[in-house]
Amino acid sequence: MYHTYYLDYQRHTFKADDLAIRPIAPSDAATEPPPASTPVLYADAHRGSLNLRRQPTNTDRNGNDEIAVAKYPTSGADIEIKAGGNRVKLTHSFAQVDANGRSRENAKPERSFWRRRITDGSRGCYVGTLPGGTRLRWEPAGPKEDPDTVKKAKARAEKILPKLRCMLVDGRGVSTEVLGEMMMSNDVVRLARGGELVGERGMLGVYVLLGFISLYERARARNKRMAELEIEVRILIS
């Protein structure tokens, strides 16, 4: 069962952006904006970091309302998520997708001699290991497209096709299950296991969600006009 969420941003010029994470029905994802609903989580999105909490404002000076913090420096490639006293580092790597749609990590892809372009079909991804040993990989979804020729999706129906997916991977680096997807609109996320975002079980969904948001926010900070493409571009060259 998937849980679908709308990332409702309020952008500001001189302070952190406000983010409300609202549950929506899957059928409402094609509506822009989706019908209003009570947020389940809130966040302050700074340049390079994000604080996730349960309440609209952080009223607890000791930070007890805070669920997690994500750090995604615009000048670096790594991402760090801190939750429940644990730190999870997401590092850049590469993955190949086979004919059956399963992906496998390929840390050293084949490259052309002169221009160093990847020649074996590998695509950039981010990998991380949770405190309990669960391994996750955030990777592009769908066929690879040339960033110089790809056309922007115009209709909302096109925009809610998956752009990124988070995979559960085994010890060999092979994908075994889709845990979540971020759509091309950048404002709709679908989560599977842990998608309720509540309790100990929901922490898996929190990690998956923050991985998506961190990749998008860093891409947007680097180049707002290219944010739709730059998740794919930067994930390849970070």
Side-chain angles (χ1 to χ4, degrees):
M1 177 182 175
Y2 276 98
H3 294 75
T4 306
Y5 294 96
Y6 174 59
L7 308 182
D8 188 359
Y9 282 95
Q10 296 294 321
R11 300 290 186 183
H12 304 292
T13 302
F14 300 110
K15 64 176 184 177
D17 297 329
D18 297 318
L19 171 59
I21 299 167
R22 304 180 184 275
I24 59 173
S27 58
D28 289 334
T31 305
E32 191 173 13
S37 62
T38 303
V40 294
L41 296 174
Y42 301 84
D44 297 323
H46 303 266
R47 182 180 175 88
S49 66
L50 179 143
N51 299 75
L52 189 69
R53 59 182 188 277
R54 299 252 176 231
Q55 301 300 323
T57 57
N58 191 0
T59 56
D60 191 326
R61 294 183 179 181
N62 296 320
N64 294 326
D65 184 45
E66 190 174 82
I67 301 170
V69 176
K71 295 183 179 180
Y72 38 89
T74 58
S75 59
D78 292 343
I79 293 170
E80 183 182 81
I81 299 174
K82 180 181 177 182
N86 300 303
R87 296 178 184 268
V88 175
K89 192 173 185 179
L90 312 186
T91 57
H92 183 264
S93 187
F94 293 90
Q96 288 178 308
V97 179
D98 62 23
N100 297 318
R102 297 181 68 185
S103 58
R104 179 188 297 271
E105 189 170 352
N106 181 29
K108 295 183 179 180
E110 296 179 5
R111 297 177 181 270
S112 61
F113 181 76
W114 293 108
R115 304 190 68 177
R116 303 301 297 162
R117 288 187 174 179
I118 295 173
T119 58
D120 62 2
S122 297
R123 305 175 71 181
C125 65
Y126 274 81
V127 295
T129 302
L130 303 189
T134 301
R135 300 183 66 196
L136 306 181
R137 180 166 63 235
W138 289 259
E139 60 189 31
K144 185 176 181 179
E145 296 175 308
D146 184 345
D148 295 326
T149 60
V150 65
K151 295 180 180 179
K152 278 188 180 182
K154 294 182 180 180
R156 181 70 179 181
E158 295 176 297
K159 291 181 179 180
I160 59 171
L161 295 174
K163 171 191 289 184
L164 294 175
R165 64 183 186 178
C166 180
M167 307 298 296
L168 178 68
V169 299
D170 62 20
R172 301 170 298 160
V174 178
S175 62
T176 61
E177 182 182 343
V178 179
L179 296 179
E181 297 173 324
M182 186 177 196
M183 307 308 162
M184 294 176 67
S185 62
N186 303 318
D187 61 9
V188 173
V189 172
R190 294 195 307 170
L191 303 176
R193 269 205 282 157
E196 62 273 17
L197 302 176
V198 176
E200 185 176 347
R201 173 184 167 88
M203 286 307 299
L204 176 59
V206 169
Y207 281 112
V208 174
L209 175 68
L210 285 179
F212 287 136
I213 295 176
S214 298
L215 286 169
Y216 172 64
E217 282 295 307
R218 184 165 65 187
R220 185 179 182 278
R222 286 170 167 170
N223 188 335
K224 293 180 182 178
R225 291 179 298 176
M226 285 287 290
E228 291 85 355
L229 296 179
E230 209 163 327
I231 291 180
E232 168 73 1
V233 174
R234 289 293 183 180
I235 211 171
L236 287 172
I237 65 175
S238 289

